[in-house]
Amino acid sequence: MDLIKRFIECYLPVKTCNMKCKYCYVTQNGWWKNGLPDLTECNAKIESALNMKRLGGRCMINICGTGETLLPPEMPEILKKILNAGHYVMVVTNGTLKSRFEEIIKFPEEMRARLFFKFSFHYLELKRLGKMNDFFNIISMVDNAEISYTVEITPDDGYIPYIDEIKAVCMDKLGALCHVTVTRDEREKEFPLLTKLPREEFVRIWSSFNSELFDFKESVFGEKRREFCYAGLWSFNLNLGTGDIQQCYKGKSMGNIYQDTTAPIKFTAVGNNCADGHCFNAHAFMSFGIIPEIQTPEYAQLRNRTTKDGSEWLKPRMKEFMERRLSEANEELLSNEKKKANIHSFHYKAAIKSLFKSND
């Protein structure tokens, strides 16, 4: 049985897309004219930079672009290199780039067993572009290749008149309802819910999908985390384009993994000094156990579905790995070690606050 040593949240600096959903971060920020990122260094160094000895074991690595993750032509090769290093990989995608998937399903069987796709179901945009059948055909391609997947929809207010239609399509094409995520408004400082509805009404409407992903994300959305968090020690954030790593989204820098791929990484926990207003991606970090004292559903529960024919979206090996907690492969810190981590993160947090005040 494989244990999860670390969870690595990878940002792919692609800020453009082949779709134009109004709720997307690209739309919110007006990034349509951006080109594709330079991934030359990533392609050359990613496998050695993320070798298992350096990281301490097998990791769960999530890759997501601000736009469409698979747009850069190097992505299949990069995925293969990360898988070849021995890790499990999750990829967020809109599921429309058939040529990328045709490359990926040719990966060796052992690699495919450690690969997972999060298909974002952009319903109205797929209808507008006439790509609905292409979307579901690609999901079938992935399923037939024994690659794990999930399908999730963004609970945009504009989708509400189409909910019954969306459910019918899902049952017909997938044999199960899609999951529902919770979307944040990145134009606002604290990343509030992206809806004009009262929260109670928003929850009532989208709970009808019986999505454990939605239920958990909504239950912790907006809650400031003050418990001891092992982000920076059991997890970290990586910019695939530059190689820069940091504890978490607003955590301190931990260096650059491309500069010397033989150098040890200096892991340091965030502790009780999270600089974020709330853990907006708690469905991943917290469900893998980044805050051990909080009881959460397993990540597999938030991603899987059992279809009408009894099959599951998660294949056995991936499902088993997604059921693991970070604490199974890592030891919790002693009280004096926690105090030391808190001192380091407190000084960083104080420095960031001072910087913001000086810029006001």
Side-chain angles (χ1 to χ4, degrees), residues 17-237:
C17 192
N18 60 334
M19 303 182 85
K20 293 186 176 182
C21 306
K22 68 176 185 178
Y23 47 77
C24 177
Y25 312 132
V26 175
T27 303
Q28 290 177 30
N29 293 283
W31 288 332
W32 294 111
K33 295 182 180 180
N34 288 328
L36 296 179
D38 181 0
L39 297 178
T40 305
E41 190 170 24
C42 174
N43 204 3
K45 296 183 178 180
I46 193 66
E47 187 173 349
S48 58
L50 296 180
N51 71 80
M52 279 207 289
K53 182 179 179 181
R54 192 182 195 196
L55 295 173
R58 293 189 192 271
C59 300
M60 177 64 86
I61 296 177
N62 182 64
I63 302 176
C64 182
T66 302
E68 169 49 33
T69 311
L70 294 180
L71 273 177
E74 307 96 326
M75 281 309 297
E77 186 176 355
I78 289 171
L79 293 179
K80 194 170 187 177
K81 288 178 177 178
I82 299 174
L83 290 165
N84 196 53
H87 305 297
Y88 287 70
V89 180
M90 307 189 291
V91 182
V92 180
T93 177
N94 64 26
T96 60
L97 299 176
K98 185 179 179 182
S99 62
R100 300 288 189 271
F101 289 97
E102 288 174 336
E103 288 185 64
I104 291 166
I105 63 171
K106 295 176 183 177
F107 288 2
E109 180 182 352
E110 201 277 335
M111 288 187 181
R112 300 199 308 271
R114 290 183 283 112
L115 185 57
F116 169 80
F117 285 103
K118 300 182 209 175
F119 287 104
S120 299
F121 186 23
H122 300 299
Y123 184 69
L124 292 179
E125 190 67 356
L126 288 168
K127 284 187 71 173
R128 183 184 73 83
L129 296 172
K131 292 188 175 183
M132 191 74 69
N133 287 334
D134 295 340
F135 176 76
F136 288 109
N137 286 340
I138 286 174
I139 294 175
S140 294
M141 183 191 307
V142 165
D143 188 30
N144 291 336
E146 291 298 308
I147 297 173
S148 298
Y149 66 94
T150 195
V151 183
E152 65 178 44
I153 198 166
T154 298
D156 182 66
D157 293 350
Y159 279 152
I160 293 174
Y162 302 91
I163 283 179
D164 289 341
E165 188 178 315
I166 289 167
K167 289 179 178 178
V169 171
C170 286
M171 293 305 298
D172 178 48
K173 299 292 187 179
L174 299 170
L177 294 179
C178 60
H179 276 297
V180 180
T181 187
V182 174
T183 308
R184 59 192 181 272
D185 189 342
E186 292 207 342
R187 294 166 297 187
E188 302 293 332
K189 183 179 179 181
E190 295 300 322
F191 292 171
L193 286 173
L194 185 62
T195 180
K196 294 181 180 178
L197 299 173
R199 184 160 179 165
E200 296 78 10
E201 181 70 1
F202 173 82
V203 172
R204 183 191 68 78
I205 290 170
W206 293 103
S207 292
S208 67
F209 281 78
N210 297 316
S211 168
E212 290 190 71
L213 174 67
F214 177 80
D215 293 343
F216 178 67
K217 288 194 72 169
E218 190 282 324
S219 72
V220 297
F221 196 92
E223 288 188 2
K224 174 65 179 176
R225 298 264 64 99
R226 303 186 187 279
E227 304 85 355
F228 192 92
C229 177
Y230 282 84
L233 183 60
W234 295 357
S235 73
F236 61 88
N237 287 34

Side-chain angles (χ1 to χ4, degrees), residues 245-271:
I245 58 175
Q246 60 187 116
Q247 291 171 306
C248 200
Y249 298 104
K250 289 186 180 178
K252 68 178 183 179
S253 171
M254 295 165 55
N256 187 291
I257 62 166
Y258 295 159
Q259 287 179 357
D260 181 356
T261 60
T262 65
I265 298 171
K266 296 180 180 180
F267 299 107
T268 309
V270 166

